[in-house]
């Protein structure tokens, strides 16, 4: 079995991140993006997440990038700064072999280290249970459904909301590591 490695994203990974994500933008309803972000867009996202202390990780198999995952602040208002939304995408030919689980576990560990208390997953109802099942295996609970909130590829799509409480994995005396968010101007 080829070596599997989860590590922080590096600038040289971004072209492959673009390629993986572009597949889901153009070929699926897993994301509501309709135009693939550029390498520059991903570079900015990586810098923003790094500055916030949040994880942006990639998984390699045999030295080839096979997927990526990250956590971003759930909402921009300051009171949400201790909640994050996770995102996981695998190369289409790398699904179903445990890489999503490996990556999600590492993203959750990064969230704990960053002082995140709650992680939210917003999962498009694509007709496949794979993403929901992955999140359930990692302790997420479905907490709601937003009906027909996205329209893509000629159809209306629901999103399912899942949540995971990380407070049981944090040391009670450790202060949150996330920097305070400045109030909107």
């Amino acid at each position: 079995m080829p070596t599997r490695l989860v590590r922080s994203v590096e600038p040289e990974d971004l072209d492959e991140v673009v390629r993986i994500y572009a597949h889901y933008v153009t070929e699926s309803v897993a994301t509501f993006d309709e135009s693939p972000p550029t390498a520059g867009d991903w570079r900015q996202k990586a810098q923003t997440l790094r500055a916030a202390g949040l994880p942006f990780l990639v998984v390699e198999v045999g030295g080839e990038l096979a997927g990526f995952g990250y956590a971003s602040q759930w909402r921009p208002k300051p009171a949400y700064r201790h909640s994050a939304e996770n995102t996981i995408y695998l190369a289409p030919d790398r699904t179903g072999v445990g890489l999503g689980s490996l990556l999600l576990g590492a993203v959750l560990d990064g969230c704990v280290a960053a002082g995140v208390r709650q992680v939210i997953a917003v999962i498009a109802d694509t007709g496949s249970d794979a993403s929901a099942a992955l999140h359930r295996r990692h302790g997420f609970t479905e907490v709601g459904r937003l009906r027909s909130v996205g329209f893509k590829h000629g159809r209306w799509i629901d999103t399912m909301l899942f949540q995971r409480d990380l407070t049981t994995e944090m040391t009670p005396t450790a202060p949150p590591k996330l920097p305070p968010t400045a109030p909107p101007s």
Side-chain angles (χ1 to χ4, degrees):
M1 171 180 267
T3 305
R4 298 173 172 198
L5 171 69
V6 176
R7 61 173 176 77
S8 293
V9 71
E10 296 295 335
E12 57 271 13
D13 299 322
L14 296 178
D15 287 338
E16 194 62 18
V17 168
V18 167
R19 187 188 70 73
I20 291 169
Y21 191 68
H23 165 79
Y24 291 96
V25 171
T26 60
E27 304 297 323
S28 81
V29 296
T31 173
F32 287 179
D33 276 332
E34 294 181 335
S35 299
T38 66
D41 296 330
W42 284 106
R43 188 171 299 102
Q44 180 61 48
K45 180 179 285 294
Q47 291 169 351
T48 298
L49 295 176
R50 185 171 289 122
L54 294 167
F56 189 162
L57 308 173
V58 296
V59 61
E60 290 182 1
V61 177
E64 292 182 15
L65 200 134
F68 66 93
Y70 60 86
S72 55
Q73 188 174 328
W74 167 238
R75 294 286 184 256
K77 294 185 179 179
Y80 288 118
R81 71 183 166 274
H82 302 290
S83 297
E85 179 179 351
N86 78 286
T87 298
I88 304 286
Y89 284 97
L90 299 175
D93 62 339
R94 298 294 189 150
T95 62
V97 295
L99 297 177
S101 189
L102 185 65
L103 202 47
L104 180 54
V107 167
L108 292 173
D109 289 345
C111 286
V112 169
V116 172
R117 298 174 55 84
Q118 301 292 326
V119 180
I120 294 100
V122 181
I123 302 171
D125 190 353
T126 64
S128 166
D129 188 53
S131 187
L134 168 66
H135 283 81
R136 283 188 203 99
R137 282 193 305 275
H138 281 269
F140 284 77
T141 304
E142 187 170 355
V143 294
R145 176 179 288 267
L146 303 173
R147 302 204 181 276
S148 299
V149 293
F151 186 81
K152 187 174 175 187
H153 297 315
R155 71 180 224 203
W156 290 102
I157 304 125
D158 294 355
T159 57
M160 301 172 288
L161 301 175
F162 281 73
Q163 184 173 352
R164 165 103 185 255
D165 182 346
L166 298 179
T167 58
T168 58
E169 298 169 44
M170 302 172 90
T171 37
T173 57
K177 295 180 183 175
L178 292 175
T181 305
S185 47

